[in-house]
Amino acid sequence: MKKIILIAFLLATFQSYSQEIKSYTWDEKPNFKEIPKEYQNQPAVVLLDKRWIHTRVGGYAYATFGMNHFAIKINKAEEINKYNKIKAQDNGYVRDVRDFHARVIKPSGEIKVLPQDKIITTEENNVKSIVFEGVEAGDILEYYFIIKENPMSYGVEVFQKEIPVLFAEFTHTQEGVKFETFASSEFKGSFVNNKSILTAVNIPPYKEEPSARNLKNLVKLIYMVSTSNMDIYKWSYFLPQYLSKPSFQYFKKNQAREFIQNLNIPATASTDEKLIKIDEYIKSNFDFVGKGETAQKVTNLNNGKQKLSAGDVFDLYGFTLKELKIPYKIVVGMSRFDGDINDDKFVVPLNHEFMYYIPETQKFLSPYEKYLCYGYPMYEVQGSNGRTYNPANKEHYVLTFPIAPADFTVNETQSTVSLSGDLDTAVIEKIYSNTGYEGQLYRNWIKYIKENKEEKDLVDFIKKRIFGDELDLKIANYTFENQDFKYNYTNTPYIVKVKAEAKESLTENAGNLVLVNLGKLIGKQSNLYQEAERLWDVDLNYTKTYKHKIIFKIPDGYEVESYKDLEIDKKMSGDETKNCYFKSFVRVEGNQLIVEVFEIYQSINYPKDSYQEYRNVLNASADFTKASVVLKLKK
């Protein structure tokens, strides 16, 4: 009898959850929060953003119900078209729209409910949508819809927008599942009538800033749904279960063993030598199966270029390490721009990065990064923490990813410039050299362009990357050096040599003087002229060094009047090993003006407290591109 009563109670509870969300409706006369003074001049303000997800799994119940209730006040007429078109969809997998209502609330308090015949269904993807018509500045647009779809096992709900949000709410209820949330610190939790509710108030407008952890900084909520009592995503379960034994889908273990034998790795080779040979062969000969393609069974892993699934490539590395008895750990990290890895479990909605770590050499193998060789980890994880698993002793560790020094990634140019007799045309011979992360990225990018694009695309790439887009250039010829993947292991520079002509792009007459804008020759530079205030720390992709040399042949009959604009010296104070600086030197040697530029960023993070100093250094490079040498006729 007790069991029967309990089952009846649970069924009634489940039914009430489903009925409650399906019966959701708005208040007949809404009462929104008053807009704070600091937001009254905003072009629009979100008054309400409520979301409710109810998931039920078990027996004949297999569905997710979602409710979105949204209200926005339009303060400026030019914002109307940005917010008056609504689609009833969530996560892109809508099966059934249960309810859809929309209304306009006028400044006078008058409420105009949009008729149901205004709701249309798009032919392309069968989504119901509505357009608010006749909207004026000062109106409040309010709508809610309820949808039914296949259960989603996870989701990311972003609440922060480019305009303020006065009240945000996320509710979840569930039947037969475990529902976990990971919310930004702005959310406060409560439990009301068997519903879990998280709320946040006065979320400020989101400001996109250069070199900021943009996704990580958003006010958002992540959720995961699971049906098992066992927490399969805990690192202690997830890593041994899914990563301890390499397995293959499109070839067999005996083929993998033949592959290793055919690499002919000497038994006397060092661990570094073994891993370089393995990594170079796989990176040079295997591509991932692309979107829309189907992986094919492999008969011989050593027969040259072929495509494999990403999982098979990853497992091939692990199997090879195991066969060669090279101790390794599996490492899981996350891009520091997306967030911090969870200490306890694998949070499914977030992108995680999987690598192999070799304790003996303290280096990384990155199977999923086509451009990156054995050595440093991918730049996105530098300085962050990762989780490791040692298949040999089944132990777990926390690992902090190393940061490559500034002399690892070096961008170096040498430009030799001469002017035509009428000073209108400049002939430029430029050597463009890259090491480190940028050298590896360039090798991969240009290889891809050569194999998949036309020559004009390659020329456009060279123009933009090497010269920027402020010169009217004609490329005469270009060559590449050190193109093979093997040069990544010795950090040998990837070199592009270009000869080009720039017409009427460098010179300007100023009375009896001629200005030659040599600063443009270092290429286009980013700047922070407009971004005087900073909300977030500056987070760079990687530490790096720039070295530029410009050799300018002074035209016959002219001499240098001034080059002071080309001399710039900006330096950040503080720790000499982590600061950044920009410094240029100029000298005249015979008929040549020689300019040398040194710019270095020795940290991947600059706190917002030191932003102004960082900004001065970064802007110095942009200032340099405007600098000219002044010539005058000899007497």
Side-chain angles (χ1 to χ4, degrees):
M1 181 60 68
K2 288 181 179 179
K3 288 182 179 180
I4 293 172
I5 293 172
L6 177 59
I7 291 170
F9 171 77
L10 290 174
L11 288 173
T13 305
F14 293 167
Q15 183 71 10
S16 67
Y17 281 153
S18 298
Q19 284 303 121
E20 186 177 355
I21 192 170
K22 286 188 283 187
S23 302
Y24 181 89
T25 187
W26 51 29
D27 294 333
E28 187 175 339
K29 292 184 178 180
N31 183 24
F32 301 116
K33 286 185 63 177
E34 185 177 346
I35 299 175
K37 187 175 181 180
E38 65 266 28
Y39 295 151
Q40 290 177 358
N41 291 325
Q42 289 283 330
V45 177
V46 175
L47 305 176
L48 176 71
D49 186 351
K50 292 179 68 173
R51 309 176 196 184
W52 181 1
I53 291 177
H54 173 67
T55 304
R56 64 182 191 190
V57 175
Y60 296 102
Y62 185 74
T64 286
F65 293 91
M67 188 286 299
N68 283 38
H69 184 180
F70 194 83
I72 182 171
K73 183 176 182 182
I74 308 295
N75 291 327
K76 296 183 179 179
E78 56 266 29
E79 298 295 301
I80 292 172
N81 287 334
K82 189 184 293 186
Y83 299 107
N84 69 340
K85 303 172 187 67
I86 310 302
K87 286 184 178 180
Q89 61 180 358
D90 185 28
N91 296 318
Y93 297 103
V94 177
R95 284 174 54 194
D96 179 24
V97 175
R98 312 285 295 192
D99 219 353
F100 195 165
H101 297 275
R103 63 186 180 183
V104 178
I105 304 169
K106 308 299 285 185
S108 63
E110 179 189 3
I111 298 176
K112 295 184 176 180
V113 178
L114 274 67
Q116 288 294 303
D117 60 13
K118 290 292 184 181
I119 299 173
I120 61 173
T121 302
T122 59
E123 293 183 6
E124 181 181 351
N125 48 16
N126 201 35
V127 173
K128 291 186 182 296
S129 63
I130 195 167
V131 177
F132 287 89
E133 298 175 344
V135 178
E136 301 173 310
D139 288 352
I140 295 173
L141 311 184
E142 186 182 11
Y143 66 86
Y144 76 89
F145 59 78
I146 299 164
I147 58 175
K148 180 183 178 183
E149 61 183 7
N150 288 321
M152 295 293 295
S153 60
Y154 57 83
V156 178
E157 302 283 335
V158 178
F159 285 86
Q160 194 170 21
K161 306 180 184 303
E162 70 278 3
I163 54 176
V165 177
L166 300 192
F167 184 78
E169 180 180 288
F170 181 83
T171 299
H172 66 85
T173 50
Q174 58 276 340
E175 302 164 22
V177 299
K178 180 180 178 181
F179 200 108
E180 290 182 273
T181 56
F182 307 86
S184 299
S185 59
E186 289 82 358
F187 282 94
K188 309 301 177 187
S190 61
F191 198 70
V192 180
N193 295 330
N194 294 323
K195 293 186 290 187
S196 296
I197 301 174
L198 293 102
T199 59
V201 297
N202 293 338
I203 301 174
Y206 181 70
K207 180 183 178 184
E208 184 81 15
E209 291 184 324
S211 301
R213 301 184 184 189
N214 294 312
L215 179 58
K216 178 181 178 180
N217 295 333
L218 280 170
V219 177
K220 60 187 177 298
L221 183 145
I222 298 162
Y223 68 87
M224 288 169 49
V225 179
S226 57
T227 57
S228 172
N229 291 328
M230 181 182 294
D231 194 343
I232 62 172
Y233 295 116
K234 284 185 74 69
W235 293 119
S236 57
Y237 179 86
F238 178 83
L239 291 172
Q241 184 72 16
Y242 296 103
L243 299 171
S244 59
K245 295 181 180 179
S247 59
F248 310 111
Q249 186 176 0
Y250 294 99
F251 53 90
K252 298 177 180 178
K253 285 186 179 180
N254 66 311
Q255 292 175 281
R257 290 191 176 97
E258 290 174 5
F259 162 77
I260 297 168
Q261 291 173 359
N262 291 335
L263 288 178
N264 295 318
I265 300 173
T268 57
S270 68
T271 300
D272 265 338
E273 289 169 337
K274 292 176 182 177
L275 293 173
I276 287 172
K277 188 154 190 176
I278 295 163
D279 191 50
E280 183 189 349
Y281 188 90
I282 294 177
K283 290 286 175 67
S284 300
N285 290 281
F286 293 107
D287 281 325
F288 298 130
V289 174
K291 187 176 181 180
E293 296 179 314
T294 302
Q296 302 296 320
K297 293 286 185 181
V298 175
T299 56
N300 183 356
L301 287 166
N302 299 92
N303 68 351
K305 302 284 186 181
Q306 51 194 316
K307 292 188 175 183
L308 292 175
S309 68
D312 273 357
V313 171
F314 186 87
D315 284 348
L316 181 58
Y317 273 96
F319 184 80
T320 304
L321 294 172
K322 192 173 182 181
E323 289 288 302
L324 294 177
K325 295 180 170 55
I326 299 174
Y328 69 92
K329 298 177 184 177
I330 294 169
V331 185
V332 186
M334 263 185 58
S335 169
R336 64 187 193 276
F337 300 103
D338 292 347
D340 298 319
I341 198 165
N342 187 277
D343 291 337
D344 187 50
K345 63 179 57 182
F346 179 86
V347 180
V348 181
L350 299 176
N351 289 326
H352 291 70
E353 309 295 343
F354 292 81
M355 295 156 275
Y356 293 99
Y357 175 65
I358 312 302
E360 178 188 341
T361 63
Q362 298 184 348
K363 296 179 182 178
F364 295 81
L365 286 163
S366 302
Y368 295 123
E369 300 303 315
K370 184 70 177 170
Y371 78 95
L372 188 61
C373 75
Y374 162 69
Y376 284 108
M378 55 190 295
Y379 65 82
E380 292 92 339
V381 303
Q382 289 184 104
S384 67
N385 287 335
R387 301 291 305 193
T388 73
Y389 173 67
N390 189 335
N393 59 17
K394 311 209 181 316
E395 291 182 356
H396 302 265
Y397 307 86
V398 174
L399 177 144
T400 300
F401 293 102
I403 300 172
D407 60 2
F408 175 65
T409 300
V410 178
N411 304 280
E412 192 166 358
T413 70
Q414 178 173 302
S415 303
T416 303
V417 189
S418 58
L419 298 176
S420 60
D422 59 6
L423 307 185
D424 278 349
T425 303
V427 177
I428 306 168
E429 295 182 68
K430 189 166 185 176
I431 302 172
Y432 188 74
S433 165
N434 299 95
T435 63
Y437 286 114
E438 294 205 3
Q440 297 192 46
L441 285 165
Y442 275 121
R443 274 192 182 90
N444 192 56
W445 286 338
I446 293 180
K447 178 176 179 290
Y448 174 81
I449 293 172
K450 284 182 174 182
E451 293 175 354
N452 298 277
K453 303 287 184 179
E454 299 179 4
E455 187 178 9
K456 68 179 182 64
D457 298 304
L458 184 58
V459 172
D460 288 343
F461 181 86
I462 291 171
K463 280 184 180 180
K464 185 173 181 180
R465 290 287 177 173
I466 298 178
F467 293 100
D469 48 16
E470 295 185 2
L471 289 172
D472 181 14
L473 276 177
K474 181 180 179 181
I475 303 291
N477 56 65
Y478 57 87
T479 59
F480 301 99
E481 294 182 7
N482 308 327
Q483 299 179 70
D484 294 339
F485 192 88
K486 66 181 180 180
Y487 291 109
N488 289 325
Y489 300 101
T490 53
N491 205 20
T492 302
Y494 184 74
I495 296 173
V496 186
K497 293 183 177 179
V498 187
K499 185 175 182 180
E501 285 188 357
K503 191 167 182 63
E504 298 178 352
S505 297
L506 289 180
T507 58
E508 179 185 349
N509 291 319
N512 296 324
L513 303 175
V514 177
L515 281 64
V516 185
N517 182 196
L518 295 181
K520 285 183 178 179
L521 293 172
I522 68 170
K524 186 176 182 179
Q525 304 292 308
S526 57
N527 69 77
L528 294 168
Y529 291 141
Q530 306 302 321
E531 289 80 14
E533 301 296 326
R534 187 78 181 185
L535 291 177
W536 309 108
D537 290 349
V538 174
D539 289 296
L540 303 182
N541 287 340
Y542 32 79
T543 65
K544 51 193 169 184
T545 300
Y546 296 93
K547 298 177 182 178
H548 303 287
K549 187 174 185 179
I550 302 168
I551 302 170
F552 173 62
K553 296 179 180 179
I554 302 169
D556 293 339
Y558 285 86
E559 61 183 356
V560 174
E561 166 75 6
S562 172
Y563 52 69
K564 64 179 183 180
D565 288 349
L566 288 163
E567 294 182 306
I568 299 176
D569 187 357
K570 297 289 183 183
K571 184 177 182 179
M572 177 182 281
S573 61
D575 189 341
E576 291 283 344
T577 65
K578 295 183 178 180
N579 67 9
C580 58
Y581 66 82
F582 181 100
K583 190 172 181 64
S584 56
F585 306 86
V586 187
R587 66 183 186 274
V588 176
E589 292 183 358
N591 71 333
Q592 293 183 339
L593 179 85
I594 299 173
V595 185
E596 292 186 88
V597 177
F598 299 92
E599 184 179 6
I600 189 167
Y601 297 88
Q602 298 183 101
S603 176
I604 58 173
N605 175 268
Y606 293 98
K608 63 180 180 181
D609 292 345
S610 58
Y611 171 68
Q612 291 305 330
E613 287 188 302
Y614 169 83
R615 179 172 176 256
N616 290 338
V617 173
L618 186 73
N619 285 345
S621 63
D623 295 341
F624 184 85
T625 63
K626 303 182 183 73
S628 299
V629 58
V630 182
L631 304 178
K632 67 177 181 179
L633 285 166
K634 291 181 179 178
K635 293 182 181 179

